[in-house]
Amino acid sequence: MKKVKILIIEDDQAIIDNVSLILEMGWDSVEMIPARLASRGLQLMESQKPDLVILDLGLPDMSGFEVLKRIRLFSNLPVLILTVRGEEKDVVLALALGADDYIIKPFRQMELLARIKALLRRTSQPEEDLSIKAGNLYFGRSITEIYKGNQKISLTITEGKMMHCLMSQAGKIVSYKNLSEVLWGEEYPGAKQSLKVYVNHLRKKLENEPGKPILIQNLAGIGYLLDVLGT
Ligand code: CA
């Protein structure tokens, strides 16, 4: 089995140790590359070529948001945010800057492991069928590029996967469970809340009036539905 290389940019040694222990349970062979400073993390990213980055938002020398911005200038590598900042605006900002997922501390061990596995699986999966269309929505050259008519809109991998799923079942209700399985491989407690954050972000990018969504509709307690009739 291929060795998994994970870079963790985190200033709290106890968290580094804890995450390392959890990940060693998950793989026969995992190499943890710790960086307690953002600047060191950015260097290691280029020299070590990890498979995934776990990034803390509160770092001594630079904000995690800034690190994320810099990473996205040269890399599409999966980035998982690990943070104590659970406020929706922080999460939304991290996702907007290109984070693929986030976990709020204190976290459940199995959840962290499942999320990391899902992220790695997502990256190694063959490309989705990008020829799929719904109304005036269609994908460009990758899952992170969607067109609304002539307008090109950038999505994160997670947003793209979610839109792909909704578009492939346009006009039908896609349950929270179904969406969670597509994104994370399984439903976990709190998945519904995470889905809501991604949906709100997609609405901001795709709806004419994000506050009065008509494209991505929520059927409370059931799931989401992509309604392309109005597009
Ligand atoms: Ca910190």
Side-chain angles (χ1 to χ4, degrees):
M1 197 180 145
K2 185 181 163 282
K3 181 145 108 180
V4 182
K5 247 187 182 184
I6 296 180
L7 171 65
I8 176 165
I9 309 177
E10 161 74 72
D11 58 324
D12 185 340
Q13 187 62 44
I15 302 246
I16 295 178
D17 293 345
N18 188 9
V19 170
S20 303
L21 262 178
I22 295 168
L23 298 188
E24 277 154 17
M25 296 192 299
W27 283 276
D28 296 336
S29 177
V30 58
E31 182 183 350
M32 295 296 293
I33 308 164
R36 295 177 67 172
L37 289 175
S39 50
R40 179 83 185 123
L42 287 165
Q43 275 172 5
L44 287 170
M45 233 195 110
E46 292 191 86
S47 60
Q48 296 291 313
K49 311 220 179 318
D51 298 299
L52 178 136
V53 181
I54 298 173
L55 175 65
D56 176 24
L57 288 180
L59 292 162
D61 58 333
M62 200 187 288
S63 110
F65 294 119
E66 184 58 33
V67 178
L68 190 53
K69 263 193 239 171
R70 296 197 188 182
I71 288 177
R72 283 296 174 251
L73 292 177
F74 67 95
S75 168
N76 280 323
L77 219 64
V79 176
L80 175 100
I81 302 287
L82 188 60
T83 178
V84 285
R85 301 166 68 155
E87 281 178 56
E88 184 166 322
K89 67 171 171 42
D90 290 326
V91 169
V92 168
L93 178 59
L95 298 176
L97 293 174
D100 295 290
D101 205 351
Y102 67 93
I103 288 221
I104 294 163
K105 298 172 198 167
F107 52 87
R108 287 177 287 262
Q109 300 193 346
M110 286 305 122
E111 182 178 341
L112 179 75
L113 195 54
R115 297 270 201 121
I116 290 177
K117 287 200 163 180
L119 261 183
L120 289 171
R121 203 163 45 231
R122 246 186 280 168
T123 347
S124 63
Q125 261 169 11
E127 287 292 295
E128 281 92 338
D129 171 16
L130 297 176
S131 65
I132 168 178
K133 281 186 183 179
N136 66 354
L137 295 170
Y138 54 96
F139 285 95
R141 282 179 303 175
S142 82
I143 192 90
T144 59
E145 206 176 275
I146 198 167
Y147 283 83
K148 186 184 177 189
N150 294 325
Q151 190 195 353
K152 182 169 136 182
I153 298 157
S154 294
L155 304 178
T156 64
I157 294 174
T158 305
E159 290 166 0
K161 293 265 177 185
M162 193 170 194
M163 272 313 282
H164 190 275
C165 179
L166 290 170
M167 282 164 69
S168 66
Q169 298 179 68
K172 293 183 198 144
I173 300 169
V174 185
S175 68
Y176 301 126
K177 186 170 187 289
N178 188 336
L179 276 169
S180 303
E181 283 167 359
V182 166
L183 295 182
W184 302 294
E186 63 183 335
E187 199 178 20
Y188 63 92
K192 210 171 122 180
Q193 270 311 106
S194 300
L195 289 173
K196 192 177 156 197
V197 174
Y198 292 110
V199 163
N200 283 338
H201 209 72
L202 282 168
R203 283 173 174 158
K204 279 186 192 138
K205 292 185 175 183
L206 298 167
E207 301 261 5
N208 296 328
E209 280 187 84
K212 293 180 194 162
I214 53 168
L215 182 66
I216 306 173
Q217 296 178 10
N218 178 30
L219 290 106
I222 307 170
Y224 292 99
L225 177 147
L226 187 75
D227 184 355
V228 291
L229 291 178
T231 64

